[in-house]
Amino acid sequence: RALLGTAAVSEILSDAELLRYNRQIILKSFDFEGQEALKQARVLVIGAGGLGSPALLYLAAAGVGTLGIVEFDTVDESNLQRQVIHDSATVGESKVDSASHRLRLINPHITLVAHRSALDADSLADVVGAVDLVLDCSDNFATREAVNRACVAARKPLVSGAAIRFDGQISVFDPRVPTSPCYACLFPPDAQFEEVACSTMGVFAPMVGIIGSMQAAEALKLITGVGSSLAGRLLMLNGRDMQWTEMRTQRDP
């Protein structure tokens, strides 16, 4: 505690945790309360791929107490260009197991909950209902729509990100706020969208790192109450020119 320059005592954080999270705790808008909120938080990350990798790494390192990981794929050699939570030694392994091993090495103070198989509507509703916040790091519209429905029904904040080629986007959908739009307000389920995939379109590796890291930042802000979230705003990044575009979004009744 002396290293923190304060005599304050936390009944929730151990001395080891106080030292580990020192650089966050000394932030005036963060303090002990913010770190304690992180330790008590339950966050679900859908996908342990390009977006999920940096998101999980930062959430774990920052001290989110319980991290749920939904992923039923295995690590492939072609993933390693951008999915930085995995490595050559884990090729062929379950992504959940590969990610969990790495996260435990980074932070032994957190609890990991693995979901290794695809979730149907009922099981997704149960899993979402048991957490405080969801990050959608998936790579297809069907999953995003299903996750959005579950979050709206359970009134859980959703941090949504996407990246393909040199482009990325991120927003927050917070059903706790009556005026906040949801994912379907921007991308109606009955609309026709071209399904794009990294395997056919390609992706610039740092793009998923940028967007995934921003998803973690938005999640940490929502948990701790620091700053204002991206609810009602969609940020789009043109990675070729590194130009951001912000679009205000409206709730569709």
Side-chain angles (χ1 to χ4, degrees), residues 118-134:
L119 303 177
D120 59 20
D122 290 337
S123 57
L124 180 60
D126 290 340
V127 172
V128 168
V131 300
D132 305 307
L133 177 73
V134 179

Side-chain angles (χ1 to χ4, degrees), residues 26-151:
I26 61 177
L27 293 170
K28 290 183 178 179
S29 57
F30 205 93
D31 214 320
F32 287 98
E33 290 78 7
Q35 195 61 54
E36 289 171 347
L38 289 186
K39 181 169 183 176
Q40 295 174 312
R42 299 160 300 169
V43 174
L44 182 69
V45 179
I46 310 290
L51 298 171
S53 287
L56 285 165
L57 290 169
Y58 276 111
L59 292 174
V64 171
T66 302
L67 275 177
I69 311 171
V70 179
E71 177 63 77
F72 55 88
D73 202 2
T74 57
V75 181
D76 184 81
E77 192 82 31
S78 64
N79 300 149
L80 302 182
Q81 162 253 6
R82 65 201 176 280
Q83 299 183 17
V84 294
I85 203 168
H86 311 297
D87 57 50
S88 298
T90 63
V91 170
E93 286 186 16
S94 159
K95 285 186 179 179
V96 166
D97 292 340
S98 172
S100 296
H101 175 72
R102 180 76 179 279
L103 296 176
R104 289 190 185 96
L105 290 175
I106 290 173
N107 193 345
H109 299 283
I110 63 174
T111 299
L112 300 175
V113 180
H115 303 277
R116 295 182 177 83
S117 58
L119 303 177
D120 59 20
D122 290 337
S123 57
L124 180 60
D126 290 340
V127 172
V128 168
V131 300
D132 305 307
L133 177 73
V134 179
L135 279 73
D136 186 349
C137 300
S138 64
D139 60 0
N140 63 86
F141 283 114
T143 300
R144 292 170 189 150
E145 291 164 358
V147 171
N148 177 69
R149 284 193 296 271
C151 287

Side-chain angles (χ1 to χ4, degrees), residues 167-246:
D167 302 309
Q169 67 182 40
I170 180 175
S171 189
V172 169
F173 306 108
D174 194 343
R176 301 172 303 175
V177 181
T179 57
S180 176
C182 74
Y183 184 84
C185 295
L186 276 69
F187 306 100
D190 56 353
Q192 297 297 316
F193 294 106
E194 179 188 3
E195 194 70 79
V196 294
C198 295
S199 58
T200 55
M201 297 292 187
V203 63
F204 188 49
M207 290 303 301
V208 293
I210 293 169
I211 301 299
S213 296
M214 291 184 68
Q215 286 183 265
E218 288 298 299
L220 296 176
K221 287 164 53 186
L222 284 164
I223 295 167
T224 60
V226 171
S228 57
S229 79
L230 280 172
R233 295 182 288 156
L234 175 68
L235 289 185
M236 296 170 286
L237 174 60
N238 173 348
R240 287 182 179 273
D241 303 314
M242 281 301 165
Q243 292 184 337
W244 286 98
T245 300
E246 179 178 308

